[in-house]
Amino acid sequence: MPIRLNLPPTLAARIATSDRPQYGMWVCSGSAMNAEIAAGSGLDVVLIDAEHSPNSLESILAQLYAVSAYPVAPLVRPPVGDPVLIKQYLDIGVQNLLIPMVDSAAQAAEMVRAVRYPPHGIRGIGSSLARASRWNRVDGYLADASSTITLFVQIESAAAVEAVEQIVAVEGVDGILMGPADLAGSIGALGQQDHPDVIEGVLRSIRAARAVGKPAAVNAFVPAMADRYVAAGASLVLVGADVSLLARSSEALADRYLGAHGADRASY
């Protein structure tokens, strides 16, 4: 007899049952080992990125396996909100999706359709072939699949902020995540995540999500900004990334042990 399985709780369920904000970090290296190290850190969420990182379906699957032994929620960002790609991500067992660059309620509704089976969506039906259902070892997967998936959409442009109240109200959108870096670029303030208009855009988005009882997440690698957004009601803050931590920490080692002797190599 096959072993019958239950899927882990979704990110939305974890947030809903927690009495505190959640904290997470990005894994952008494409490394399953880095993903496992991050999963054992004590943080709540590991965000596996494929938009700005060298990730394939195979490497994402390897990272899902690597973090599966740890009490974290893996959140995965595809490079684009393509229904075909989303289908593949779901079939390899991604339960928590973050779709980048969602600028309108209509686009958000299409993403909802992409993660749901007919008649409520357009997700292709291949559960018996896929890890998503553990090859039909999860009882009732087809009927209950939508309850095993969390869909976050990313608010990271001026257009998205203007439409955020409509986007977050879309049925099937479980939450939003603000990207201050792209938002800054879209308003002509490239590199200025602390620009007053960027901060107000993030705060407006948090208010919009809270108004409809949905979680708002945000990127905030600067501790003071993370604290500010948590105080404003953010449910999840991403506070670092594996590649950034390695870059800054290795630089600190060089400064400590080489000091001025390393200056001649600083502009190789």
Side-chain angles (χ1 to χ4, degrees):
M1 292 290 291
I3 296 171
R4 312 313 296 180
L5 299 170
N6 295 312
L7 294 176
T10 65
L11 175 57
R14 290 170 186 253
I15 291 172
T17 57
S18 178
D19 59 0
R20 61 168 177 81
Q22 305 288 285
Y23 293 92
M25 66 175 286
W26 296 79
V27 174
C28 301
S29 60
S31 165
M33 186 173 292
N34 283 2
E36 184 170 2
I37 292 169
S41 67
L43 291 168
D44 303 296
V45 176
V46 172
L47 203 164
I48 301 166
D49 181 44
E51 183 184 14
H52 297 296
S53 306
N55 268 313
S56 64
L57 288 170
E58 292 81 5
S59 65
I60 291 169
L61 178 58
Q63 289 168 82
L64 292 176
Y65 283 138
V67 306
S68 63
Y70 297 85
V72 296
L75 176 61
V76 183
R77 181 170 72 173
V80 64
D82 177 353
V84 174
L85 193 58
I86 289 170
K87 172 180 62 178
Q88 292 180 296
Y89 276 45
L90 295 178
D91 280 354
I92 65 170
V94 172
Q95 289 183 255
N96 307 301
L97 272 172
L98 171 64
I99 306 300
M101 294 291 181
V102 173
D103 291 336
S104 69
Q107 188 181 358
E110 286 304 305
M111 296 302 95
V112 174
R113 284 173 47 78
V115 305
R116 292 188 172 181
Y117 286 128
H120 306 294
I122 59 172
R123 179 184 176 188
I125 303 169
S127 61
S128 64
L129 309 175
R131 181 174 179 263
S133 70
R134 302 306 188 263
W135 304 277
N136 277 353
R137 291 170 182 162
V138 174
D139 288 334
Y141 180 79
L142 279 177
D144 299 331
S146 62
S147 70
T148 71
I149 296 165
T150 287
L151 176 65
F152 271 67
V153 298
Q154 199 156 359
I155 306 298
E156 48 187 338
S157 70
V161 171
E162 284 303 307
V164 68
E165 289 82 8
Q166 291 75 43
I167 291 171
V168 77
V170 172
E171 192 276 329
V173 168
D174 296 299
I176 56 173
L177 187 147
M178 283 72 73
D182 277 296
L183 179 55
S186 79
I187 66 169
L190 188 65
Q192 301 177 53
Q193 296 189 42
D194 57 353
H195 190 285
D197 291 343
V198 173
I199 293 171
E200 177 51 36
V202 172
L203 294 175
R204 172 178 171 177
S205 299
I206 293 172
R207 291 193 297 268
R210 287 174 60 83
V212 294
K214 294 182 181 181
V218 62
N219 250 4
F221 289 10
V222 176
M225 294 307 298
D227 292 342
R228 179 170 186 174
Y229 293 140
V230 166
S235 299
L236 166 63
V237 184
L238 298 164
V239 294
D242 62 338
V243 291
S244 298
L245 291 169
L246 178 59
R248 302 294 84 79
S249 295
S250 59
E251 290 162 8
L253 286 174
D255 286 344
R256 168 63 177 81
Y257 291 104
L258 293 175
H261 297 293
D264 59 340
R265 303 177 65 183
S267 298
Y268 183 76

